[in-house]
Protein backbone atom coordinates (compact mmCIF):
# COMPACT_ATOMS: atom_id res chain seq x y z
CA UNK A 1 0.00 0.00 0.00
CA UNK A 2 2.80 2.44 0.81
CA UNK A 3 4.27 2.12 -2.69
CA UNK A 4 0.90 2.80 -4.27
CA UNK A 5 0.47 5.85 -2.04
CA UNK A 6 3.95 7.15 -2.89
CA UNK A 7 3.17 6.67 -6.59
CA UNK A 8 0.05 8.80 -6.08
CA UNK A 9 2.08 11.55 -4.37
CA UNK A 10 4.74 11.45 -7.10
CA UNK A 11 2.05 11.65 -9.76
CA UNK A 12 0.60 14.72 -8.06
CA UNK A 13 3.99 16.47 -8.20
CA UNK A 14 4.39 15.55 -11.88
CA UNK A 15 0.93 16.91 -12.70
CA UNK A 16 1.71 20.14 -10.84
CA UNK A 17 4.83 20.52 -12.95
CA UNK A 18 2.96 19.76 -16.17
CA UNK A 19 0.29 22.35 -15.33
CA UNK A 20 3.00 24.95 -14.61
CA UNK A 21 1.91 25.52 -11.06
CA UNK A 22 4.27 27.48 -8.78
CA UNK A 23 6.68 25.43 -6.68
CA UNK A 24 4.39 25.73 -3.67
CA UNK A 25 0.94 24.65 -4.80
CA UNK A 26 -2.00 22.65 -3.52
CA UNK A 27 -0.65 19.37 -4.91
CA UNK A 28 2.92 19.58 -3.56
CA UNK A 29 1.76 21.10 -0.25
CA UNK A 30 -0.37 17.99 0.20
CA UNK A 31 1.83 15.31 -1.36
CA UNK A 32 5.18 16.00 0.33
CA UNK A 33 4.03 16.02 4.00
CA UNK A 34 1.72 13.05 3.49
CA UNK A 35 4.40 11.02 1.70
CA UNK A 36 6.81 11.62 4.60
CA UNK A 37 4.23 10.74 7.25
CA UNK A 38 3.07 7.56 5.55
CA UNK A 39 6.66 6.36 5.05
CA UNK A 40 7.30 6.88 8.77
CA UNK A 41 4.04 5.11 9.65
CA UNK A 42 4.94 2.17 7.40
CA UNK A 43 8.37 1.42 8.82
CA UNK A 44 8.71 -1.92 10.62
CA UNK A 45 7.44 -1.76 14.22
CA UNK A 46 6.40 1.86 13.75
CA UNK A 47 2.72 1.37 14.61
CA UNK A 48 0.85 -1.14 16.72
CA UNK A 49 -1.70 -2.08 15.56
CA UNK A 50 -0.28 -2.01 12.02
CA UNK A 51 -1.96 0.12 9.38
CA UNK A 52 -5.34 -1.33 8.51
CA UNK A 53 -6.88 -1.45 5.05
CA UNK A 54 -9.64 0.93 6.14
CA UNK A 55 -7.15 3.58 7.28
CA UNK A 56 -5.14 3.27 4.06
CA UNK A 57 -8.34 3.56 2.03
CA UNK A 58 -9.57 6.66 3.85
CA UNK A 59 -6.23 8.45 3.59
CA UNK A 60 -5.73 7.56 -0.07
CA UNK A 61 -9.30 8.54 -0.93
CA UNK A 62 -8.97 11.87 0.86
CA UNK A 63 -5.62 12.76 -0.69
CA UNK A 64 -6.77 11.74 -4.19
CA UNK A 65 -9.99 13.76 -3.80
CA UNK A 66 -8.07 16.87 -2.76
CA UNK A 67 -5.78 16.39 -5.76
CA UNK A 68 -8.74 16.15 -8.17
CA UNK A 69 -10.28 19.30 -6.70
CA UNK A 70 -6.93 21.11 -6.86
CA UNK A 71 -6.48 20.28 -10.55
CA UNK A 72 -9.99 21.51 -11.35
CA UNK A 73 -9.41 24.69 -9.34
CA UNK A 74 -6.22 25.42 -11.28
CA UNK A 75 -7.58 24.93 -14.79
CA UNK A 76 -10.94 26.72 -14.42
CA UNK A 77 -11.05 29.90 -16.53
CA UNK A 78 -12.54 32.30 -13.97
CA UNK A 79 -9.76 34.20 -12.20
CA UNK A 80 -10.02 37.69 -10.82
CA UNK A 81 -7.10 39.50 -12.41
CA UNK A 82 -5.36 39.66 -15.75
CA UNK A 83 -1.69 38.62 -15.67
CA UNK A 84 -0.78 41.75 -17.62
CA UNK A 85 -2.70 44.23 -15.47
CA UNK A 86 -0.27 46.53 -13.58
CA UNK A 87 -0.56 46.55 -9.81
CA UNK A 88 -1.18 49.64 -7.71
CA UNK A 89 1.80 50.81 -5.67
CA UNK A 90 2.27 49.52 -2.14
CA UNK A 91 3.56 51.95 0.46
CA UNK A 92 5.93 50.08 2.77
CA UNK A 93 5.91 52.89 5.31
CA UNK A 94 2.18 52.43 5.79
CA UNK A 95 2.64 48.65 5.87
CA UNK A 96 5.20 49.04 8.67
CA UNK A 97 2.84 51.24 10.70
CA UNK A 98 0.01 48.74 10.40
CA UNK A 99 2.46 45.96 11.23
CA UNK A 100 3.50 47.47 14.56
CA UNK A 101 -0.07 48.37 15.44
CA UNK A 102 -1.12 44.77 14.77
CA UNK A 103 1.77 43.47 16.86
CA UNK A 104 0.57 45.59 19.78
CA UNK A 105 -2.93 44.15 19.42
CA UNK A 106 -1.46 40.65 19.28
CA UNK A 107 0.35 41.27 22.57
CA UNK A 108 -2.94 42.25 24.22
CA UNK A 109 -4.57 39.14 22.77
CA UNK A 110 -1.85 36.95 24.29
CA UNK A 111 -2.29 38.65 27.66
CA UNK A 112 -6.04 38.01 27.48
CA UNK A 113 -5.38 34.30 26.91
CA UNK A 114 -3.07 34.24 29.93
CA UNK A 115 -5.74 35.88 32.09
CA UNK A 116 -8.23 33.32 30.80
CA UNK A 117 -5.97 30.47 31.92
CA UNK A 118 -4.96 32.09 35.19
CA UNK A 119 -7.69 30.49 37.38
CA UNK A 120 -6.50 27.03 36.32
CA UNK A 121 -2.86 27.95 36.95
CA UNK A 122 -3.68 29.21 40.44
CA UNK A 123 -5.73 26.11 41.21
CA UNK A 124 -2.71 23.92 40.44
CA UNK A 125 -0.31 25.93 42.59
CA UNK A 126 0.86 28.82 40.43
CA UNK A 127 3.34 29.24 37.60
CA UNK A 128 6.25 27.63 39.42
CA UNK A 129 4.28 24.44 39.99
CA UNK A 130 2.74 24.15 36.53
CA UNK A 131 5.83 24.98 34.50
CA UNK A 132 8.48 23.29 36.60
CA UNK A 133 9.92 20.12 34.96
CA UNK A 134 9.84 18.43 38.35
CA UNK A 135 6.28 19.51 39.11
CA UNK A 136 4.74 16.96 36.71
CA UNK A 137 1.66 19.18 36.34
CA UNK A 138 1.97 20.18 32.68
CA UNK A 139 -0.35 17.47 31.40
CA UNK A 140 -2.88 18.13 34.18
CA UNK A 141 -2.85 21.85 33.38
CA UNK A 142 -3.54 21.16 29.69
CA UNK A 143 -6.38 18.79 30.60
CA UNK A 144 -8.03 21.12 33.12
CA UNK A 145 -7.68 24.15 30.87
CA UNK A 146 -9.38 22.27 28.02
CA UNK A 147 -12.20 21.29 30.39
CA UNK A 148 -12.52 24.89 31.54
CA UNK A 149 -12.90 26.06 27.93
CA UNK A 150 -15.56 23.42 27.30
CA UNK A 151 -17.54 24.62 30.33
CA UNK A 152 -17.35 28.22 29.08
CA UNK A 153 -18.76 27.16 25.73
CA UNK A 154 -21.54 25.11 27.29
CA UNK A 155 -22.74 27.83 29.67
CA UNK A 156 -23.75 30.07 26.77
CA UNK A 157 -23.39 33.84 26.69
CA UNK A 158 -23.24 35.00 30.28
CA UNK A 159 -22.37 38.62 30.99
CA UNK A 160 -18.71 37.87 31.58
CA UNK A 161 -18.23 35.36 28.80
CA UNK A 162 -19.78 37.54 26.09
CA UNK A 163 -17.45 40.46 26.92
CA UNK A 164 -14.41 38.19 27.02
CA UNK A 165 -15.48 36.41 23.84
CA UNK A 166 -16.03 39.59 21.83
CA UNK A 167 -12.78 41.07 23.09
CA UNK A 168 -10.94 37.88 22.15
CA UNK A 169 -12.30 37.95 18.59
CA UNK A 170 -11.40 41.63 18.18
CA UNK A 171 -7.87 41.21 19.53
CA UNK A 172 -7.35 38.09 17.41
CA UNK A 173 -7.09 40.46 14.47
CA UNK A 174 -3.61 41.22 15.75
CA UNK A 175 -2.60 38.17 13.73
CA UNK A 176 -2.87 40.45 10.71
CA UNK A 177 0.78 41.23 11.49
CA UNK A 178 1.56 37.82 9.97
CA UNK A 179 0.65 39.16 6.52
CA UNK A 180 2.21 42.59 6.95
CA UNK A 181 5.27 40.75 8.26
CA UNK A 182 5.36 38.64 5.10
CA UNK A 183 5.40 41.84 3.03
CA UNK A 184 8.19 43.32 5.16
CA UNK A 185 10.16 40.07 4.87
CA UNK A 186 10.08 40.37 1.09
CA UNK A 187 11.16 44.00 1.47
CA UNK A 188 14.23 42.97 3.45
CA UNK A 189 12.88 44.00 6.87
CA UNK A 190 13.51 40.54 8.28
CA UNK A 191 13.80 41.19 12.03
CA UNK A 192 10.65 43.31 12.12
CA UNK A 193 8.85 40.71 10.02
CA UNK A 194 9.27 37.85 12.55
CA UNK A 195 8.04 39.80 15.59
CA UNK A 196 4.52 38.27 15.43
CA UNK A 197 6.11 34.83 15.45
CA UNK A 198 8.05 35.72 18.60
CA UNK A 199 4.83 36.85 20.28
CA UNK A 200 3.06 33.65 19.21
CA UNK A 201 5.97 31.57 20.50
CA UNK A 202 5.77 33.22 23.91
CA UNK A 203 2.06 32.43 24.24
CA UNK A 204 2.55 28.86 22.99
CA UNK A 205 5.19 28.22 25.64
CA UNK A 206 2.93 29.56 28.39
CA UNK A 207 -0.12 27.59 27.23
CA UNK A 208 1.89 24.40 26.54
CA UNK A 209 0.42 24.23 23.05
CA UNK A 210 2.37 23.99 19.82
CA UNK A 211 -0.39 24.13 17.25
CA UNK A 212 -1.10 27.88 17.43
CA UNK A 213 2.58 28.65 16.90
CA UNK A 214 2.92 26.16 14.04
CA UNK A 215 -0.15 27.65 12.35
CA UNK A 216 1.32 31.16 12.58
CA UNK A 217 4.64 29.98 11.16
CA UNK A 218 2.97 28.20 8.24
CA UNK A 219 0.70 31.15 7.45
CA UNK A 220 3.71 33.48 7.51
CA UNK A 221 6.02 31.29 5.42
CA UNK A 222 3.39 30.60 2.76
CA UNK A 223 2.41 34.27 2.48
CA UNK A 224 6.07 35.32 2.28
CA UNK A 225 6.67 32.71 -0.43
CA UNK A 226 3.88 33.97 -2.66
CA UNK A 227 4.84 37.61 -2.19
CA UNK A 228 8.55 36.93 -2.66
CA UNK A 229 8.04 34.72 -5.70
CA UNK A 230 5.76 36.98 -7.69
CA UNK A 231 6.76 40.44 -6.58
CA UNK A 232 9.91 42.48 -6.00
CA UNK A 233 10.76 45.77 -4.30
CA UNK A 234 11.22 48.71 -6.62
CA UNK A 235 12.65 52.09 -5.65
CA UNK A 236 13.88 53.54 -8.90
CA UNK A 237 16.19 50.53 -9.27
CA UNK A 238 16.05 46.88 -8.17
CA UNK A 239 16.44 46.45 -4.42
CA UNK A 240 19.40 44.53 -3.01
CA UNK A 241 16.86 42.04 -1.66
CA UNK A 242 16.60 40.59 -5.16
CA UNK A 243 20.28 39.72 -5.29
CA UNK A 244 21.72 36.37 -4.40
CA UNK A 245 23.65 37.67 -1.41
CA UNK A 246 21.66 37.24 1.79
CA UNK A 247 21.66 40.40 3.96
CA UNK A 248 23.09 40.17 7.48
CA UNK A 249 19.71 40.89 9.07
CA UNK A 250 18.21 38.10 7.00
CA UNK A 251 20.75 35.60 8.33
CA UNK A 252 20.10 36.77 11.89
CA UNK A 253 16.34 36.44 11.41
CA UNK A 254 16.69 32.90 10.07
CA UNK A 255 18.94 31.90 12.99
CA UNK A 256 16.56 33.48 15.52
CA UNK A 257 13.64 31.69 13.91
CA UNK A 258 15.39 28.32 14.01
CA UNK A 259 16.47 28.72 17.64
CA UNK A 260 12.95 29.89 18.55
CA UNK A 261 11.22 26.88 17.02
CA UNK A 262 13.06 24.22 19.04
CA UNK A 263 11.95 25.26 22.54
CA UNK A 264 8.40 25.98 21.35
CA UNK A 265 8.15 22.46 19.96
CA UNK A 266 10.04 20.61 22.70
CA UNK A 267 9.22 22.41 25.97
CA UNK A 268 5.43 21.83 25.84
CA UNK A 269 6.03 18.18 25.01
CA UNK A 270 8.53 17.86 27.85
CA UNK A 271 6.25 19.42 30.48
CA UNK A 272 3.06 17.70 29.28
CA UNK A 273 4.55 14.24 28.80
CA UNK A 274 6.74 14.12 31.91
CA UNK A 275 3.85 12.75 34.01
CA UNK A 276 2.52 10.40 31.29
CA UNK A 277 3.70 7.34 29.40
CA UNK A 278 4.46 9.43 26.33
CA UNK A 279 8.05 10.19 25.37
CA UNK A 280 9.85 13.49 25.79
CA UNK A 281 12.59 15.19 23.78
CA UNK A 282 13.21 14.52 20.10
CA UNK A 283 11.61 11.08 20.27
CA UNK A 284 8.33 12.77 21.16
CA UNK A 285 8.54 14.82 17.95
CA UNK A 286 8.66 11.64 15.87
CA UNK A 287 5.67 10.28 17.75
CA UNK A 288 3.92 13.61 17.37
CA UNK A 289 4.26 13.51 13.57
CA UNK A 290 2.48 10.19 13.07
CA UNK A 291 0.18 10.35 16.11
CA UNK A 292 -2.88 11.35 14.07
CA UNK A 293 -2.40 8.57 11.53
CA UNK A 294 -2.02 6.19 14.46
CA UNK A 295 -5.20 7.59 16.04
CA UNK A 296 -7.19 7.18 12.82
CA UNK A 297 -5.88 3.65 12.43
CA UNK A 298 -6.81 2.76 16.02
CA UNK A 299 -10.40 3.95 15.47
CA UNK A 300 -10.81 1.74 12.42
CA UNK A 301 -12.81 -1.40 13.07
CA UNK A 302 -13.21 -4.35 10.78
CA UNK A 303 -13.57 -3.49 7.12
CA UNK A 304 -14.28 0.19 6.57
CA UNK A 305 -16.23 0.98 9.74
CA UNK A 306 -14.99 3.61 12.17
CA UNK A 307 -15.84 4.11 15.83
CA UNK A 308 -17.44 7.43 16.76
CA UNK A 309 -16.22 9.39 19.80
CA UNK A 310 -18.22 9.67 23.03
CA UNK A 311 -19.81 12.95 24.06
CA UNK A 312 -17.99 15.18 26.53
CA UNK A 313 -21.06 15.38 28.79
CA UNK A 314 -21.91 12.11 30.55
CA UNK A 315 -25.30 10.81 29.49
CA UNK A 316 -25.30 12.58 26.12
CA UNK A 317 -24.43 11.15 22.72
CA UNK A 318 -21.99 12.74 20.30
CA UNK A 319 -23.67 13.57 16.98
CA UNK A 320 -23.15 11.28 14.00
CA UNK A 321 -23.29 12.39 11.33
CA UNK A 322 -22.18 15.76 12.61
CA UNK A 323 -23.25 17.77 9.53
CA UNK A 324 -20.22 20.03 9.79
CA UNK A 325 -19.90 20.19 13.58
CA UNK A 326 -16.64 18.20 13.59
CA UNK A 327 -14.98 20.02 10.68
CA UNK A 328 -16.18 23.45 11.83
CA UNK A 329 -16.18 22.87 15.58
CA UNK A 330 -15.67 26.52 16.49
CA UNK A 331 -18.45 27.77 14.22
CA UNK A 332 -20.96 25.18 15.42
CA UNK A 333 -20.12 25.98 19.05
CA UNK A 334 -20.65 29.69 18.43
CA UNK A 335 -23.99 29.12 16.70
CA UNK A 336 -25.11 26.87 19.55
CA UNK A 337 -24.24 29.56 22.09
CA UNK A 338 -26.41 31.94 20.09
CA UNK A 339 -29.30 29.54 20.61
CA UNK A 340 -29.44 27.98 17.14
CA UNK A 341 -30.35 24.28 16.99
CA UNK A 342 -27.08 22.98 15.53
CA UNK A 343 -25.31 19.74 16.54
CA UNK A 344 -22.35 20.11 18.88
CA UNK A 345 -19.35 17.86 18.38
CA UNK A 346 -16.98 17.17 21.30
CA UNK A 347 -14.45 19.95 21.82
CA UNK A 348 -11.74 17.28 21.78
CA UNK A 349 -12.00 13.60 20.91
CA UNK A 350 -11.39 10.74 23.31
CA UNK A 351 -7.86 9.38 23.66
CA UNK A 352 -6.80 6.20 21.91
CA UNK A 353 -3.93 4.03 23.16
CA UNK A 354 -1.42 3.00 20.51
CA UNK A 355 2.19 1.92 20.25
CA UNK A 356 4.54 4.08 18.21
CA UNK A 357 8.01 2.64 17.66
CA UNK A 358 7.33 0.20 20.46
CA UNK A 359 6.45 2.91 22.97
CA UNK A 360 3.02 3.40 24.56
CA UNK A 361 1.34 6.57 23.32
CA UNK A 362 -2.08 8.21 23.70
CA UNK A 363 -3.60 10.45 21.05
CA UNK A 364 -6.95 12.16 20.50
CA UNK A 365 -6.36 13.23 16.90
CA UNK A 366 -7.09 11.42 13.65
CA UNK A 367 -6.15 13.64 10.64
CA UNK A 368 -8.54 16.00 8.88
CA UNK A 369 -10.19 13.09 7.10
CA UNK A 370 -11.58 11.81 10.40
CA UNK A 371 -13.55 15.04 10.82
CA UNK A 372 -14.82 14.83 7.26
CA UNK A 373 -15.97 11.25 7.88
CA UNK A 374 -17.68 12.03 11.20
CA UNK A 375 -19.61 14.84 9.52
CA UNK A 376 -20.83 13.15 6.34
CA UNK A 377 -19.38 9.64 6.19
CA UNK A 378 -17.39 8.53 3.15
CA UNK A 379 -19.24 11.09 1.03
CA UNK A 380 -17.74 13.79 3.28
CA UNK A 381 -14.22 12.42 2.82
CA UNK A 382 -14.63 12.77 -0.95
CA UNK A 383 -16.74 15.93 -1.24
CA UNK A 384 -15.12 18.09 1.48
CA UNK A 385 -11.66 17.07 0.28
CA UNK A 386 -12.44 18.04 -3.30
CA UNK A 387 -13.86 21.39 -2.21
CA UNK A 388 -10.77 22.08 -0.11
CA UNK A 389 -8.41 21.30 -2.99
CA UNK A 390 -10.50 23.31 -5.46
CA UNK A 391 -10.53 26.44 -3.28
CA UNK A 392 -6.81 26.17 -2.52
CA UNK A 393 -5.84 26.04 -6.20
CA UNK A 394 -8.29 28.78 -7.11
CA UNK A 395 -6.77 31.07 -4.47
CA UNK A 396 -3.21 30.31 -5.61
CA UNK A 397 -4.21 30.87 -9.24
CA UNK A 398 -5.48 34.35 -8.39
CA UNK A 399 -2.35 35.19 -6.40
CA UNK A 400 -0.15 34.21 -9.35
CA UNK A 401 -2.25 36.50 -11.54
CA UNK A 402 -1.32 39.49 -9.41
CA UNK A 403 -4.11 39.77 -6.82
CA UNK A 404 -2.53 40.27 -3.41
CA UNK A 405 -5.93 40.21 -1.76
CA UNK A 406 -6.07 36.45 -2.26
CA UNK A 407 -2.89 35.83 -0.25
CA UNK A 408 -4.70 35.33 3.11
CA UNK A 409 -7.02 32.80 1.46
CA UNK A 410 -4.11 31.00 -0.22
CA UNK A 411 -2.12 30.90 3.04
CA UNK A 412 -5.11 29.64 5.02
CA UNK A 413 -6.00 26.90 2.57
CA UNK A 414 -2.45 25.72 1.85
CA UNK A 415 -1.73 25.61 5.58
CA UNK A 416 -4.85 23.47 5.98
CA UNK A 417 -3.51 21.09 3.33
CA UNK A 418 -0.01 20.91 4.82
CA UNK A 419 -1.41 20.19 8.29
CA UNK A 420 -4.14 17.79 7.15
CA UNK A 421 -1.99 14.82 8.20
CA UNK A 422 -2.37 15.91 11.81
CA UNK A 423 -5.51 17.82 12.74
CA UNK A 424 -8.11 20.14 11.27
CA UNK A 425 -6.73 23.15 13.12
CA UNK A 426 -7.77 26.14 11.02
CA UNK A 427 -11.20 25.03 9.80
CA UNK A 428 -12.03 23.87 13.31
CA UNK A 429 -11.21 27.26 14.85
CA UNK A 430 -13.73 29.89 13.76
CA UNK A 431 -11.35 32.70 14.75
CA UNK A 432 -9.04 31.79 11.87
CA UNK A 433 -11.96 31.63 9.44
CA UNK A 434 -13.35 35.05 10.30
CA UNK A 435 -9.82 36.49 10.50
CA UNK A 436 -9.06 35.19 7.00
CA UNK A 437 -12.21 36.71 5.49
CA UNK A 438 -11.46 40.07 7.09
CA UNK A 439 -7.83 39.88 5.93
CA UNK A 440 -8.97 39.27 2.35
CA UNK A 441 -10.97 42.50 2.60
CA UNK A 442 -8.41 44.56 4.56
CA UNK A 443 -5.12 43.57 2.93
CA UNK A 444 -5.68 45.33 -0.43
CA UNK A 445 -7.00 48.44 1.31
CA UNK A 446 -3.93 48.65 3.51
CA UNK A 447 -1.31 47.69 0.94
CA UNK A 448 -2.49 49.43 -2.22
CA UNK A 449 -1.44 53.06 -2.20
CA UNK A 450 -4.09 55.60 -3.27
CA UNK A 451 -1.53 58.23 -4.14
CA UNK A 452 1.75 58.41 -5.98
CA UNK A 453 4.42 57.62 -3.38
CA UNK A 454 7.17 60.14 -2.67
CA UNK A 455 10.60 59.49 -4.03
CA UNK A 456 11.81 58.10 -0.69
CA UNK A 457 8.97 55.59 -0.37
CA UNK A 458 9.53 51.99 -1.32
CA UNK A 459 6.73 50.18 -3.05
CA UNK A 460 5.90 46.88 -4.69
CA UNK A 461 5.50 46.42 -8.42
CA UNK A 462 4.52 43.45 -10.53
CA UNK A 463 7.50 41.22 -11.10
CA UNK A 464 8.26 39.93 -14.55
CA UNK A 465 9.88 36.85 -13.06
CA UNK A 466 8.00 33.60 -13.48
Amino acid sequence: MVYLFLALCLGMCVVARALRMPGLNALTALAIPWALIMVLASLPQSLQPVMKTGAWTMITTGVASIAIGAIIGWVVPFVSASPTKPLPKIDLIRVARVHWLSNGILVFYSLLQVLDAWPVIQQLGGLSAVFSPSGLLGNEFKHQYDQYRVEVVQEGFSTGSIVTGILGYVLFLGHFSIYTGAVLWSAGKRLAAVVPLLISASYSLLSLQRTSFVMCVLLFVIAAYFIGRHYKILNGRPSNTTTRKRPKKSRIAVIVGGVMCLPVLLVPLQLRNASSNNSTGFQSLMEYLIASVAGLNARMGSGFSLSTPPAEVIGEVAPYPGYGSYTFTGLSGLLNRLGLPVPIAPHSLDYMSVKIYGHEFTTNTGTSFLDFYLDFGWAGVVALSMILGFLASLAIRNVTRGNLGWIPAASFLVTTLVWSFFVNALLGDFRYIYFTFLSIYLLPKILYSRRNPRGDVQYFGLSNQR
Side-chain angles (χ1 to χ4, degrees):
M1 291 294 290
V2 66
Y3 296 111
L4 178 62
F5 186 81
L6 291 177
L8 171 64
C9 293
L10 178 61
M12 290 163 57
C13 296
V14 172
V15 170
R17 179 81 173 180
L19 294 177
R20 302 183 67 182
M21 294 181 178
L24 179 59
N25 55 76
L27 294 179
T28 56
L30 179 73
I32 294 176
W34 268 106
L36 171 63
I37 297 304
M38 296 314 293
V39 167
L40 292 176
S42 301
L43 294 175
Q45 304 300 318
S46 58
L47 290 185
Q48 291 292 333
V50 296
M51 286 291 293
K52 302 172 185 176
T53 302
W56 273 112
T57 303
M58 180 173 291
I59 291 171
T60 304
T61 300
V63 170
S65 299
I66 291 177
I68 293 172
I71 293 171
I72 296 173
W74 182 260
V75 300
V76 292
F78 49 90
V79 290
S80 64
S82 169
T84 59
K85 182 179 179 180
L87 290 177
K89 307 306 181 184
I90 296 180
D91 191 337
L92 291 181
I93 293 178
R94 183 170 61 184
V95 171
R97 289 171 179 168
V98 175
H99 180 69
W100 290 114
L101 175 62
S102 299
N103 280 325
I105 297 174
L106 187 58
V107 169
F108 280 107
Y109 169 79
S110 300
L111 292 176
L112 180 66
Q113 302 307 301
V114 173
L115 291 176
D116 192 36
W118 193 251
V120 179
I121 295 175
Q122 285 185 315
Q123 182 180 348
L124 293 176
L127 289 173
S128 59
V130 173
F131 299 100
S132 171
S134 60
L136 303 180
L137 291 175
N139 194 44
E140 181 64 19
F141 164 69
K142 178 64 169 56
H143 173 72
Q144 290 198 20
Y145 184 53
D146 286 344
Q147 289 297 116
Y148 170 75
R149 297 300 299 270
V150 171
E151 292 172 0
V152 170
V153 171
Q154 291 173 345
E155 72 180 7
F157 280 129
S158 63
T159 304
S161 64
I162 189 172
V163 173
T164 303
I166 293 176
L167 186 60
Y169 274 91
V170 172
L171 295 180
F172 194 82
L173 292 176
H175 287 84
F176 190 77
S177 57
I178 292 173
Y179 298 123
T180 54
V183 176
L184 294 178
W185 179 276
S186 298
K189 314 291 185 180
R190 304 296 168 84
L191 290 177
V194 299
V195 168
L197 301 184
L198 291 171
I199 299 172
S200 175
S202 301
Y203 166 67
S204 293
L205 285 172
L206 189 59
S207 62
L208 301 185
Q209 299 185 55
R210 307 160 304 279
T211 302
S212 58
F213 172 72
V214 174
M215 293 301 98
C216 290
V217 170
L218 289 175
L219 290 170
F220 174 86
V221 169
I222 293 168
Y225 169 84
F226 285 124
I227 293 174
R229 175 153 183 330
H230 300 288
Y231 303 90
K232 64 183 178 181
I233 300 298
L234 300 177
N235 188 19
R237 63 182 185 278
S239 169
N240 59 6
T241 60
T242 63
T243 62
R244 292 177 178 266
K245 186 176 180 181
R246 187 183 295 272
K248 181 178 179 180
K249 289 184 178 181
S250 174
R251 295 195 299 268
I252 295 175
V254 172
I255 294 173
V256 170
V259 172
M260 174 179 62
C261 287
L262 284 178
V264 176
L265 293 176
L266 291 176
V267 170
L269 288 171
Q270 176 71 34
L271 295 179
R272 285 168 51 180
N273 293 349
S275 59
S276 68
N277 293 326
N278 294 349
S279 301
T280 57
F282 284 100
Q283 183 179 349
S284 63
L285 285 180
M286 296 297 294
E287 296 174 347
Y288 179 73
L289 286 175
I290 63 175
S292 290
V293 171
L296 176 65
N297 186 60
R299 292 180 187 276
M300 278 290 174
S302 59
F304 300 103
S305 62
L306 190 146
S307 62
T308 56
E312 289 176 320
V313 179
I314 298 177
E316 295 186 3
V317 178
Y320 178 76
Y323 299 111
S325 60
Y326 289 92
T327 302
F328 305 100
T329 306
L331 176 59
S332 63
L334 178 62
L335 294 178
N336 182 266
R337 294 176 72 182
L338 291 172
L340 297 179
V342 296
I344 295 296
H347 180 265
S348 60
L349 302 181
D350 55 315
Y351 282 86
M352 306 295 292
S353 296
V354 297
K355 278 190 176 182
I356 301 180
Y357 300 118
H359 194 275
E360 293 288 342
F361 192 87
T362 55
T363 176
N364 66 337
T365 56
T367 78
S368 294
F369 302 133
L370 174 61
D371 291 335
F372 297 167
Y373 177 88
L374 293 175
D375 276 331
F376 300 102
W378 283 97
V381 175
V382 174
L384 292 179
S385 297
M386 288 187 65
I387 293 172
L388 178 60
F390 174 85
L391 293 177
S393 273
L394 188 63
I396 295 171
R397 183 71 165 175
N398 280 284
V399 170
T400 61
R401 290 298 185 96
N403 193 333
L404 275 173
W406 280 81
I407 284 180
S411 298
F412 176 91
L413 293 166
V414 173
T415 297
T416 301
L417 294 180
V418 171
W419 206 239
S420 61
F421 72 88
F422 189 72
V423 69
N424 192 22
L426 296 187
L427 292 176
D429 191 336
F430 181 67
R431 295 172 302 178
Y432 284 104
I433 296 176
Y434 112 95
F435 160 68
T436 299
F437 276 106
L438 282 180
S439 296
I440 293 171
Y441 173 77
L442 292 174
L443 191 62
K445 293 185 176 296
I446 292 174
L447 299 185
Y448 292 156
S449 178
R450 298 180 180 179
R451 59 181 175 81
N452 292 325
R454 302 186 305 272
D456 60 340
V457 175
Q458 289 181 314
Y459 55 90
F460 271 103
L462 181 64
S463 172
N464 294 323
Q465 297 176 341
R466 292 187 58 86

